[in-house]
Amino acid sequence: MSGLERSILITGGSVRAFAAEYADRKYPKIQALVLNAGLQFPNGVTYTKDDVESTFAIKHVGQALLFHLLRQHLAEKASNVITASGTHDPAQKSGLPDAEYTTAEELAHPSAQSATNSGRQRYATSKLCNVMWTYALDKRLIAAAARGGERYTVNAFDLGLMPGTDLAREALAISPWKWKKVLPRMIPLLRRLVHPNIHSPEESGIALARLAVGEDVTGVSGVYFEGTKKINSSVESHVVGKQEDLWYWTVKHVARDGEELRTFDSF
């Protein structure tokens, strides 16, 4: 995960370089594509070298670009998994500020007012984008399959809170230490006292692998999973107008010319 995160922080061109190298090496078709990257930036708005707000760039824009570039390398019934989070849903009371989607353009280039939003709020909103983009892509895949075209699946996955990862490495000095060294030893207690959806990276990894390649989920698409369970995502994630705003802004932003735009938006 960290390698992809770092490359997007440098430039979206790094994603293109990876995709080009992948094509050059002539690997077998991709059976399962997992898009998983994310960081929190608690100390004010930061931007990538592509001039996109960093949380949104890492968690959504770079991942969407990678999907579009690797799409031609997907197997006939490839599984695509987008890692999201329960933090996108205010009803789950995760402790993060509520996600709030206005437009994709506002997330990419915050106004003076939205720039004052906390980094944790921007993180929750980026997770909402993951779920909305999953639904927007699934709708297009359903239409493509009906015409005899691509038959991929795509699902959103909440891996839960995972103490011990590098998620908090941009936080203040003491927070990463607690996150990396103390909280992983307290997972059973945290599940009882805080929230049941707290896991070790190993536990979440097993659930993620099952969703990506498990026989029992073959053909399942357009679903939000919390671990191994199908659950409802937030009310806002189902707003079609917001899904479409995100989809069209994204393809227009990541496409480098008209031909690529037509390719990215053709299903």
Side-chain angles (χ1 to χ4, degrees), residues 25 31 36 99 106 125 154 156 165 174 188 197 206-207 226 245 251 262:
R25 291 179 178 268
Q31 302 296 323
N36 175 34
E106 178 74 15
T125 302
V154 59
T165 66
I174 191 170
N197 192 27
I206 291 171
E226 180 184 272
D245 174 81
V251 293
R262 287 188 294 273

Side-chain angles (χ1 to χ4, degrees), residues 7-259:
S7 70
I8 297 171
L9 280 171
I10 297 170
T11 172
S14 298
V15 178
R16 290 185 176 276
F18 171 81
E21 180 181 358
Y22 188 93
D24 289 343
R25 291 179 178 268
K26 302 186 185 306
Y27 290 118
K29 289 288 187 178
I30 298 170
Q31 302 296 323
L33 177 63
V34 176
L35 298 174
N36 175 34
L39 275 177
Q40 292 184 18
F41 297 88
N43 302 315
V45 178
T46 65
Y47 295 87
T48 68
K49 289 190 176 182
D50 293 328
D51 192 35
V52 175
E53 191 279 317
S54 297
T55 314
F56 184 61
I58 294 169
K59 197 71 196 80
H60 170 67
V61 179
Q63 296 187 160
L65 174 59
L66 185 61
F67 168 81
H68 287 298
L69 294 175
L70 294 182
R71 181 176 156 197
Q72 62 183 309
H73 303 293
L74 295 176
E76 180 183 3
K77 297 181 181 180
S79 167
N80 297 274
V81 181
I82 318 299
T83 58
S85 168
T87 60
H88 88 279
D89 187 356
Q92 291 207 26
K93 302 186 183 304
S94 67
L96 266 65
D98 291 351
E100 182 180 347
Y101 186 96
T102 50
T103 66
E105 175 61 25
E106 178 74 15
L107 295 177
H109 306 109
S111 64
Q113 180 177 354
S114 65
T116 63
N117 293 350
S118 72
R120 297 169 75 234
Q121 192 272 344
R122 286 190 291 273
Y123 180 80
T125 302
S126 73
K127 294 291 191 176
L128 172 61
C129 291
N130 293 148
V131 183
M132 294 196 302
W133 192 78
T134 297
Y135 294 152
L137 175 57
D138 179 63
K139 180 172 67 175
R140 286 159 173 80
L141 292 175
I142 290 172
R147 297 191 301 268
E150 293 152 305
R151 301 171 63 190
Y152 317 141
T153 62
V154 59
N155 293 292
F157 174 73
D158 175 12
L159 41 69
L161 185 68
M162 293 189 301
T165 66
D166 281 336
L167 176 65
R169 66 173 179 260
E170 299 294 327
L172 298 176
I174 191 170
S175 297
W177 179 79
K178 289 182 178 178
W179 181 258
K180 294 279 286 187
K181 302 297 184 182
V182 178
L183 295 183
R185 301 175 181 272
M186 300 174 60
I187 288 176
L189 180 62
L190 293 172
R191 283 177 183 154
R192 291 196 296 270
L193 299 181
V194 180
H195 198 283
N197 192 27
I198 300 176
H199 306 283
S200 69
E202 292 79 10
E203 290 169 333
S204 293
I206 291 171
L208 175 58
R210 172 256 183 179
L211 183 56
V213 299
E215 293 184 359
D216 63 319
V217 290
T218 299
V220 175
S221 190
V223 176
Y224 180 79
F225 283 84
E226 180 184 272
T228 59
K229 301 180 299 182
K230 298 179 183 180
I231 68 169
N232 292 326
S233 59
S234 72
V235 172
E236 189 174 10
S237 70
H238 292 282
V239 177
V240 173
K242 294 185 177 184
Q243 296 170 7
E244 293 301 290
D245 174 81
L246 179 64
W247 178 269
Y248 284 116
W249 182 94
T250 302
V251 293
K252 289 177 182 178
H253 177 80
V254 301
R256 59 186 174 190
D257 53 37
E259 180 180 356

